[in-house]
Amino acid sequence: MELKGEIVDVIYKNEVNSYTIANLETESEIFTVVGYLPFISVGDNLKLEGKFVTHQEYGRQFKIDTFEKIMPETLDALERYLANGSVKGIGPATANKIIKEFGEETISVFKFEPQKLSRIKGISSSKAIEIAESFNENFELWQLVGFLDKFKIPVSSAQSIYKKIGENTIQKIEENPYMLVDLVRGVDFKQIDKMALDLGMDYTNPERISNGIKYALNLATTNGHTCVEKENLIKFMTELLNIPEDLIESELINLRAQNKIAIENREKTEWIYLYEFYKAEMNIAERLTILNKAKNIKHISKLEKELKLLEDQSEIILSEKQLEAIKQINDNNVCVITGGPGTGKTTIIKTVLQLYKNKEKKVALCAPTGRAAKRMEEATGSEAKTLHRLLEIGKIKDELEIEDIDQELSPIDADVVIVDEMSMVDIFLMNYLVRAIYLGTKLVLVGDVDQLPSVGPGCVLKSIIESEKFATVYLDKIFRQAAKSKIILNAHHVNKGEKFIDKNSENYEELKEDFFYLNESNQEKILANILSLSKDRLKNYGDYEFFKNIQVITPSKKGLIGTRELNKYLQQELNPKADNKKEKTFGNVTFRQGDRIMQIKNNYDIYWEKRKEQVEYGSGIFNGEFGTIIDINEEEKQIQVIYDDNKNAWYSFQDIDQIEHAYAITVHKSQGSEFDVVILPITASAPMLLTRNLLYTAITRAKKLLIVIGASNVIDRMIQNYDSKKRNTGLKYKLVNM
């Protein structure tokens, strides 16, 4: 059913997801309404669709399915709307003057004769235009939010859609709903299609078919693929659109002619790409090839002599493989170093860094995440940046938008660029990197190809290695000190498809006591173990305390042993509710002073300061950085976080979706990080989560102590499950044939 009225009171609002409980005054009575109402304030007039439900505690409520913001229908309501702060430049006093001056003509003045607003004292001609623009944009924007909600398009995308389409956005979308496929990724295509068909769009209309194709290709990229086999695409499309194959074939030709898609023939199979994904792969293949073939102007002559001098100064003794790696870096402009834990990757980075510094050459160290860059910095003693920071990529695009692969980039000012944790780099980030490197600059790619692939599309490191076009050094020898670690030995065992070492293993008694396995299948008992180990059970073992050096890592977000539930239990155990601790609840999550949190997306705008001998100021907190909540200010609507590198940052309540509890994190989120102690629970879950490379990645996060808790049959199955979710990409093919 439908309700129309004015919001007279907001009882509760979740600043993160806009779930709201409010009172709506209609002509007959006041109703309590509940549901998602983004950017709605007291004084707003709404048309709601939904149904009445009875809450066991709060009684009768109107549950909102969809909403639409409508113009106030009385002058009193219009004055309240203008006075609520929604329109820039108008407060209660000015709102009153406008209504008195224009009465029933007020809305018409805003829309068609804004210059008349300058009759009001204090409003200049230029300010009148600004106020009218704010009124019209604000109103259309939030009508758009309600409209887009039908297509499962998030609130955050409404503004960018409005900016792209301009005035009369809703009307233009209604005329061609399929334009939403180009504007945002992740739309509900079936809902768009239904709307278009209801408007009279023909089943065989080329607009319908072309946008269906783009939607299908977008869908594939969310699973890490950069392209789709033509045969599979056509099969999916015939089922999605219920049309003959020849119409799809015809539209593929049209889209290719418009550079909307690319078609690549590989080994007698046709692969279909969204054009941006194809271009990113081409850019990488072309630039890497050109870089590699360029004159080696950064070559160090008499390398052996320089290395001998360096070894004498630093007491570093390099293995044959490490010496080979350094020689390959010296002899080639592009070089890959890959190997598991304890095989000496960091020593190579430190040696190369010092070699070129001694020659007064500039070396840029970088990694995909803030946490990985920090580790690199700690290991080398030299500054390391995130790739985004190094490339000076200012704003990160909305996650639903396709990347601008041709955006302008400042060239990297360095003689050598060393990238660590390369397995985490996707095709778009790699595209930006290779386009920002001068010819003659050396590029050294360091990573563990057996770890989880990048979250974004592609498998860049694997493709580069498998192309066999670039100097690649495989580090397979575990150094003596590392070889005494059960953590490192077990990581290599798992990577080879072998079980954990046990008491019957060779030299077992000589190994460090840094790995423990608890064979347990009962989830409640696993949870009890996690809580006791996190609280105080490890204090006597190695003076380990949770907030200093313990991290829980788990494969899944869901279930009793998933991050969502574990974070609640661990918070309750380690940072319980107390009168002296401020807290703020957003939906089902309560943030509390003392909570361990993680930044979950790159944000270049968040202001921070470091207080040491001198105060340092800056902006930018990046995906994967860990911190602790130190204050919650209800008056300022802010949460203050101190990060592990002593940055103090302030989040408005509206930005709180950028952080989440980090008592427990997923294996994917742990990539690029290391922790002194890792507690790793493993329970039966989806096969796609229980893979060998996920277990291997999790094990390699622990530095001093690893405790694995789980059923032996599940872990054995995980070790044997080598399916690392093969990704359809064409980078290797392009590199081979370049």
Side-chain angles (χ1 to χ4, degrees):
M1 63 179 298
E2 183 178 291
L3 287 182
K4 282 171 72 175
E6 180 184 340
I7 297 291
V8 291
D9 185 27
V10 175
I11 300 163
Y12 166 79
K13 186 162 193 170
N14 181 323
E15 275 87 354
V16 175
N17 63 15
S18 300
Y19 182 80
T20 304
I21 302 171
N23 286 332
L24 182 88
E25 185 173 3
T26 67
E27 288 181 355
S28 57
E29 61 180 296
I30 295 176
F31 296 101
T32 299
V33 297
V34 296
Y36 296 95
L37 293 175
F39 303 100
I40 295 301
S41 307
V42 170
D44 286 344
N45 285 249
L46 306 178
K47 181 168 75 174
L48 307 176
E49 287 185 11
K51 61 188 174 190
F52 281 103
V53 296
T54 302
H55 191 282
Q56 58 184 14
E57 189 174 344
Y58 301 113
R60 191 169 181 249
Q61 298 175 332
F62 187 81
K63 189 177 179 184
I64 303 161
D65 289 331
T66 63
F67 79 95
E68 182 183 338
K69 197 166 179 177
I70 57 176
M71 285 290 183
E73 294 179 350
T74 68
L75 289 179
D76 284 346
L78 181 56
E79 183 177 339
R80 286 192 295 274
Y81 169 71
L82 293 174
N84 73 6
S86 297
V87 182
K88 191 177 176 183
I90 299 180
T94 306
N96 180 259
K97 290 176 187 174
I98 290 171
I99 296 298
K100 279 184 177 176
E101 177 70 27
F102 300 111
E104 300 288 349
E105 301 296 314
T106 299
I107 291 173
S108 178
V109 167
F110 273 108
K111 285 196 161 193
F112 307 113
E113 301 176 285
Q115 64 278 6
K116 283 187 178 180
L117 291 168
S118 60
R119 290 185 199 168
I120 307 298
K121 191 175 179 182
I123 299 181
S124 64
S125 297
S126 59
K127 191 178 178 185
I129 302 299
E130 285 177 19
I131 288 172
E133 284 176 353
S134 175
F135 176 90
N136 292 320
E137 180 178 332
N138 183 59
F139 204 83
E140 186 164 354
L141 185 59
W142 304 128
Q143 280 183 306
L144 179 62
V145 168
F147 176 77
L148 292 175
D149 185 56
K150 300 170 189 172
F151 306 106
K152 297 185 180 172
I153 294 174
V155 174
S156 56
S157 295
Q159 202 144 14
S160 66
I161 290 172
Y162 181 80
K163 283 178 181 172
K164 287 172 184 173
I165 299 178
E167 291 181 4
N168 303 316
T169 299
I170 293 174
Q171 182 186 330
K172 289 172 184 173
I173 292 172
E174 284 179 332
E175 288 169 0
N176 178 17
Y178 294 115
M179 68 166 57
L180 290 171
V181 174
D182 275 335
L183 293 173
V184 283
R185 297 174 73 197
V187 292
D188 182 348
F189 181 82
K190 289 180 180 176
Q191 187 70 35
I192 292 171
D193 195 36
K194 182 181 182 301
M195 181 180 180
L197 294 171
D198 287 347
L199 287 166
M201 174 78 74
D202 191 84
Y203 264 71
T204 59
N205 189 300
E207 189 81 16
R208 179 175 187 255
I209 302 167
S210 65
N211 281 287
I213 291 168
K214 286 185 281 186
Y215 162 76
L217 292 171
N218 263 322
L219 199 61
T221 66
T222 61
N223 292 316
H225 306 296
T226 62
C227 53
V228 176
E229 200 172 335
K230 182 180 176 183
E231 187 180 325
N232 292 338
L233 177 66
I234 288 176
K235 185 181 176 186
F236 178 84
M237 291 300 304
T238 54
E239 291 172 5
L240 179 71
L241 301 180
N242 194 22
I243 57 171
E245 287 185 14
D246 62 319
L247 294 176
I248 300 164
E249 292 266 15
S250 176
E251 201 50 44
L252 285 171
I253 294 166
N254 290 336
L255 285 170
R256 186 183 195 177
Q258 298 167 43
N259 273 347
K260 297 285 179 67
I261 66 165
I263 302 176
E264 184 172 69
N265 286 294
R266 291 202 308 263
E267 296 156 8
K268 298 180 181 178
T269 301
E270 285 186 293
W271 295 88
I272 315 294
Y273 290 80
L274 285 168
Y275 182 73
E276 291 81 4
F277 290 75
Y278 177 79
K279 186 78 189 303
E281 285 189 353
M282 283 300 296
N283 285 349
I284 295 166
E286 286 173 358
R287 288 293 299 173
L288 279 179
T289 303
I290 291 167
L291 283 169
N292 202 40
K293 289 180 178 177
K295 190 175 179 183
N296 188 357
I297 58 176
K298 301 298 184 332
H299 182 270
I300 296 174
S301 58
K302 299 178 182 175
L303 178 67
E304 288 79 5
K305 183 182 173 185
E306 298 288 344
L307 279 171
K308 181 73 175 67
L309 188 66
L310 192 59
E311 283 183 331
D312 291 343
Q313 289 172 346
S314 60
E315 298 180 357
I316 292 175
I317 299 172
L318 298 168
S319 70
E320 283 185 27
K321 277 284 187 182
Q322 288 173 321
L323 281 168
E324 181 195 340
I326 292 161
K327 285 174 183 173
Q328 291 286 11
I329 291 166
N330 190 43
D331 292 341
N332 296 276
N333 288 329
V334 179
C335 186
V336 179
I337 311 297
T338 184
T343 56
K345 296 190 296 291
T346 302
T347 301
I348 293 168
I349 293 172
K350 286 164 74 174
T351 305
V352 171
L353 178 66
Q354 199 55 54
L355 268 175
Y356 283 92
K357 275 189 174 179
N358 289 350
K359 291 291 180 183
E360 298 184 344
K361 300 293 184 186
K362 190 171 181 181
V363 180
L365 303 179
C366 58
T369 67
R371 188 82 178 177
K374 186 185 175 190
R375 271 183 56 212
M376 202 179 187
E377 198 166 285
E378 288 168 349
T380 61
S382 295
E383 182 188 22
K385 296 180 177 179
T386 65
L387 272 163
H388 286 97
R389 182 68 89 187
L390 178 70
L391 296 167
E392 297 178 357
I393 303 172
K395 307 280 187 193
I396 300 303
K397 284 196 168 293
D398 186 300
E399 288 172 4
L400 295 171
E401 291 185 273
I402 289 177
E403 296 276 345
D404 175 11
I405 56 167
D406 294 319
Q407 66 172 290
E408 289 297 315
L409 296 164
S410 302
I412 299 168
D413 179 21
D415 299 292
V416 182
V417 176
I418 303 177
V419 188
D420 199 8
E421 296 289 353
M422 259 302 296
S423 62
M424 299 175 72
V425 175
D426 65 22
I427 59 160
F428 290 119
L429 197 47
M430 191 64 184
N431 164 65
Y432 298 140
L433 173 64
V434 294
R435 285 180 53 240
I437 292 181
Y438 281 117
L439 287 185
T441 297
K442 284 187 178 292
L443 177 61
V444 183
L445 307 175
V446 183
D448 186 344
V449 76
D450 294 314
Q451 284 191 24
L452 290 168
S454 57
V455 174
C459 43
V460 174
L461 180 62
K462 188 179 180 186
S463 298
I464 292 171
I465 291 171
E466 289 181 352
S467 75
E468 299 182 353
K469 281 301 201 70
F470 306 93
T472 301
V473 179
Y474 298 85
L475 303 172
D476 49 13
K477 180 190 172 187
I478 306 172
F479 279 81
R480 188 181 301 169
Q481 189 176 351
K484 292 180 180 178
S485 165
K486 290 179 187 173
I487 295 171
I488 288 173
L489 289 176
N490 275 318
H492 286 273
H493 270 251
V494 166
N495 199 31
K496 289 186 282 187
E498 298 169 2
K499 293 187 176 187
F500 294 153
I501 56 174
D502 57 26
K503 290 178 181 178
N504 298 318
S505 302
E506 189 180 348
N507 301 324
Y508 185 85
E509 298 302 325
E510 297 172 23
L511 302 178
K512 285 184 199 170
E513 290 293 311
D514 62 358
F515 179 98
F516 295 94
Y517 170 52
L518 306 179
N519 187 354
E520 181 57 71
S521 58
N522 182 286
Q523 293 204 16
E524 282 74 17
K525 289 181 180 177
I526 292 174
L527 176 61
N529 268 303
I530 294 168
L531 296 178
S532 66
L533 286 164
S534 298
K535 194 166 186 185
D536 48 26
R537 200 161 132 199
L538 294 175
K539 190 148 180 57
N540 295 329
Y541 182 80
D543 195 27
Y544 296 127
E545 288 182 28
F546 191 89
F547 290 99
K548 282 185 185 174
N549 42 27
I550 298 174
Q551 183 62 55
V552 178
I553 298 176
T554 182
S556 177
K557 290 181 180 179
K558 299 174 183 176
L560 184 64
I561 310 301
T563 54
R564 288 171 189 156
E565 289 302 311
L566 278 178
N567 273 312
K568 288 177 186 175
Y569 282 108
L570 286 163
Q571 181 194 44
Q572 190 178 317
E573 196 73 25
L574 301 166
N575 188 31
K577 188 179 180 71
D579 292 339
N580 64 335
K581 290 179 186 173
K582 297 178 189 174
E583 59 180 52
K584 177 71 178 173
T585 299
F586 298 93
N588 296 323
V589 179
T590 297
F591 287 105
R592 184 176 295 138
Q593 275 181 296
D595 273 347
R596 190 85 174 126
I597 61 93
M598 174 196 262
Q599 174 81 10
I600 57 171
K601 58 176 73 171
N602 291 328
N603 186 324
Y604 286 76
D605 297 327
I606 292 181
Y607 168 80
W608 56 258
E609 55 186 54
K610 286 184 184 179
R611 298 188 178 275
K612 292 185 178 177
E613 298 83 22
Q614 290 184 318
V615 181
E616 183 186 342
Y617 306 98
S619 65
I621 306 289
F622 303 106
N623 187 3
E625 292 196 54
F626 288 81
T628 303
I629 293 174
I630 57 173
D631 190 27
I632 298 172
N633 189 323
E634 280 285 355
E635 194 174 319
E636 297 289 332
K637 294 192 181 301
Q638 285 185 335
I639 289 182
Q640 185 180 356
V641 175
I642 185 164
Y643 279 90
D644 288 358
D645 58 357
N646 292 317
K647 290 196 298 274
N648 266 283
W650 287 262
Y651 291 81
S652 72
F653 286 174
Q654 283 190 345
D655 290 333
I656 216 65
D657 61 335
Q658 296 183 27
I659 63 172
E660 64 184 21
H661 283 123
Y663 297 97
I665 61 174
T666 62
V667 179
H668 283 87
K669 284 291 182 188
S670 75
Q671 261 190 288
S673 301
E674 275 187 347
F675 309 93
D676 285 348
V677 180
V678 168
I679 300 167
L680 174 62
I682 304 284
T683 58
S685 184
M688 62 181 288
L689 287 174
L690 298 179
T691 62
R692 183 189 298 177
N693 62 351
L694 186 134
L695 180 59
Y696 173 70
T697 302
I699 290 171
T700 56
R701 300 309 93 202
K703 284 198 289 187
K704 295 180 180 177
L705 179 64
L706 172 65
I707 302 162
V708 180
I709 316 169
S712 58
N713 64 323
V714 176
I715 291 168
D716 289 346
R717 210 161 58 235
M718 212 169 174
I719 292 169
Q720 296 311 313
N721 183 8
Y722 187 60
D723 176 23
S724 57
K725 283 176 71 183
K726 182 180 179 300
R727 294 184 168 189
N728 296 326
T729 79
L731 179 57
K732 174 187 169 182
Y733 173 83
K734 292 177 181 65
L735 287 166
V736 168
N737 292 281
M738 192 57 61

